[in-house]
Amino acid sequence: MARDSRAKTVELLTVREVLYELGGISRRTFYRWRELRLAPPCIRLPNGELRVRRDVLNDWLEERAEGAAS
């Protein structure tokens, strides 16, 4: 299979973008959620920065919607 046959490019969000998407929560809250394993799963880049895949964030939010099926 050729490398350029990927269906779509994965969008990676910075922590700042995730904070904004979550209604402006604080960076401290986000990292606390990470400690408690409540935050969306992150990707750690070789330079140490974190990224969250857009589709993972959307799924994470959907799972937390009130009235969501358990």
Side-chain angles (χ1 to χ4, degrees):
M1 180 154 62
R3 288 185 72 129
D4 29 325
S5 66
R6 289 187 179 179
K8 64 180 184 176
T9 303
V10 174
E11 182 181 4
L12 297 177
L13 302 172
T14 64
V15 171
R16 175 178 279 167
E17 291 169 327
V18 172
L19 300 178
Y20 178 80
E21 292 278 330
L22 296 177
I25 66 165
S26 72
R27 184 173 292 270
R28 181 176 181 177
T29 296
F30 180 77
Y31 282 100
R32 180 69 178 145
W33 288 355
R34 280 187 43 82
E35 288 175 15
L36 298 172
R37 299 192 182 276
L38 299 173
C42 298
I43 298 169
R44 184 171 300 280
L45 300 177
N47 65 1
E49 292 182 11
L50 296 176
R51 296 290 185 271
V52 178
R53 288 175 43 163
R54 163 68 71 191
D55 58 336
V56 170
L57 179 62
N58 289 343
D59 291 345
W60 182 84
L61 287 170
E62 191 65 34
E63 291 169 2
R64 279 145 189 82
E66 288 189 17
S70 299

